[in-house]
Amino acid sequence: MPKRILAAILLAAVAGCGDEEGPSEAFTVEVTPAAAGLFSAAPGNTVTLTVQAKDGGGQVLGGGTKAFTSGNAAVATVDAAGKVTAVGAGTAAITASVTIGGTTESATATVTVEVAPATATVIAPALQFDPPDADVQAGGSVTWSIGDVHHAVEFTSGGAPADLPELQNSSASRTFPTSGTYTYRCPIHPSMTGSVRVH
């Protein structure tokens, strides 16, 4: 009789442990992009993160609940949809978490925020503008420095300053008081294009 009672107790204990643990499915979380560079003011001051949960075989899992948190809200904030908005210069870790069946896993994206410079210089080696996209803060200026091959700058978006005349072995600057993106081209060589992003 004591042996029977002991066996029953052991069976009950094993069954109880199984009920407590329950089935679980291991998964990992991937966040894209894993690293992003933003400016402290628009344009270019936001990025939306994409988050996926994957099983051990790499298959994407549906469902679950997603959440986002910023490790430094003074640098960047993040909303419930994963949209990151830059606030100030610095680096912030944005954590994306996924909860499925009571299990939560997470991954982190690194966001680096910088303040646009007050000035920028664009050169024209051969038949291209370098850099093709220049960034300055509102009120800043861009200088085009042209070498042996003659070029001009013709703005193709509204609100831009006056065009630059044909230049050769010389430079000219323009000031950009208002935020926005200003596209331009060389009318002499129409395949040459660029933009100025004012933050």
Side-chain angles (χ1 to χ4, degrees):
M1 183 69 69
K3 290 182 179 180
R4 292 178 185 172
I5 294 173
L6 179 60
I9 292 173
L10 289 173
L11 286 173
V14 170
C17 289
D19 288 340
E20 279 184 14
E21 294 177 358
S24 62
E25 181 180 4
F27 67 92
T28 59
V29 172
E30 292 184 2
V31 58
T32 306
L38 301 177
F39 287 95
S40 58
N45 68 325
T46 64
V47 64
T48 299
L49 303 179
T50 299
V51 181
Q52 290 183 327
K54 295 184 177 181
D55 63 18
Q59 297 298 311
V60 177
L61 300 174
T65 301
K66 298 175 183 178
F68 300 88
T69 57
S70 172
N72 190 342
V75 172
T77 59
V78 61
D79 65 15
K83 181 179 179 179
V84 180
T85 301
V87 177
T91 301
I94 307 298
T95 301
S97 301
V98 179
T99 300
I100 300 176
T103 299
T104 300
E105 298 292 347
S106 62
T108 300
T110 301
V111 174
T112 302
V113 179
E114 63 177 305
V115 177
T119 61
T121 299
V122 177
I123 61 175
L127 297 178
Q128 64 181 12
F129 291 113
D130 183 26
D133 303 303
D135 294 283
V136 294
Q137 58 188 255
S141 65
V142 177
T143 299
W144 283 263
S145 182
I146 307 301
D148 292 338
V149 181
H150 60 119
H151 300 295
V153 171
E154 179 182 76
F155 290 99
T156 54
S157 55
D163 296 340
L164 273 67
E166 183 177 336
L167 300 171
Q168 186 176 28
N169 294 317
S170 59
S171 300
S173 302
R174 291 291 183 266
T175 299
F176 295 82
T178 307
S179 297
T181 299
Y182 303 92
T183 55
Y184 64 88
R185 65 172 188 156
C186 172
I188 305 168
H189 309 98
S191 63
M192 293 178 62
T193 60
S195 72
V196 176
R197 298 181 296 194
V198 184
H199 304 270

